[in-house]
Amino acid sequence: MILYFTGTGNSRYLAEGIAKITGDDEIVSINELMKVKDGDTFKSEKPFVFVAPVYAWKIPIVMSEFIKNSKFIGPKEAYLIVNCGSTIAGTYSYAKDDFKEVGLDIKGFAGINMPENYIAFFKAPDEVEADKIIAKARDKITEIAAMIKNNESFFIRSGKIYGRPLSLILNKPFYKFKVSSKGFHTLDNCNSCGKCVSLCPLNGIDLVNNKPKWNGKCTHCMACICACPNEAIDFNKSSVSKRRYYLKDKF
């Protein structure tokens, strides 16, 4: 069983690649489950595979909480594949602790660079560069998925690595001072389609008078701002004129 959390499609793309190569047809979107429940019970005959982005140098807090509120029946070993724009820092160490709380040991771990999507603070690459990054990631996930299929153990890092201290020092302050829905706002070309409402994994957006209104629940997944078909959402002034990145391609 493959479980993934995604904001703009990177983790979904990698999860689909693993499913295609391993032949595992049980692929679960944690986003969709998160909209209706805090946790769930999962049963698998093979090791569980988790695919996650790196948010503030750890897996997303909301994904971590969902995992810790869930029950996993089957093998006690799991695989964790994470993707990032630059560094995974101490993601592995902290995720390992989270998994132990639900009785799972990480049998295989890999970090894979994917196109930057955090346009609230950084720039997404142009289309040409994004395609190059995805092509490299595709080759890597093909290799990793083959190892998962063969039930192998592995530990593969990618990108800049500063280790557990970076995650320890920066994760909580970043969430406290930077991760907020307050900066999101719509522009005049918003057509009230509601796509941002449907994509938000935390039910953090409501349509009020046919316009999106953020209610304070936010993990900065960037789904709303990057998937808006009219590019009618900005985050303060920091996202103005930046390229939106939302991966629709299938693996």
Side-chain angles (χ1 to χ4, degrees), residues 129-238:
E129 181 61 23
D131 286 345
K132 290 179 181 178
I133 295 171
I134 292 170
K136 289 182 180 179
R138 186 182 178 93
D139 291 341
K140 198 163 188 178
I141 203 64
T142 299
E143 175 187 351
I144 290 167
M147 290 189 286
I148 293 174
K149 185 176 182 179
N150 292 328
N151 202 30
E152 298 177 28
S153 298
F154 56 84
F155 186 82
I156 303 170
R157 299 183 180 186
S158 181
K160 299 176 182 178
I161 300 165
Y162 304 101
R164 189 179 179 102
L166 182 65
S167 300
L168 175 63
I169 294 169
L170 297 179
N171 182 266
K172 288 184 178 180
F174 194 88
Y175 268 95
K176 182 177 180 179
F177 297 109
K178 297 295 185 180
V179 179
S180 170
S181 67
K182 292 181 180 179
F184 289 103
H185 59 277
T186 55
L187 307 178
D188 291 340
N189 60 327
C190 172
N191 65 1
S192 307
C193 71
K195 187 168 186 176
C196 54
V197 177
S198 65
L199 284 178
C200 180
L202 303 183
N203 299 315
I205 308 173
D206 304 303
L207 279 183
V208 179
N209 296 323
N210 289 321
K211 294 296 179 181
K213 182 177 181 180
W214 285 259
N215 60 31
K217 301 174 185 177
C218 188
T219 190
H220 271 203
C221 73
M222 299 292 112
C224 61
I225 188 171
C226 285
C228 177
N230 282 4
E231 296 189 6
I233 298 173
D234 266 325
F235 181 78
N236 293 323
K237 295 181 179 180
S238 61

Side-chain angles (χ1 to χ4, degrees), residues 57-68:
W57 306 280
K58 292 183 182 180
I59 65 172
I61 288 177
V62 293
M63 181 178 181
S64 175
E65 291 176 346
F66 185 89
I67 289 171
K68 288 187 283 188

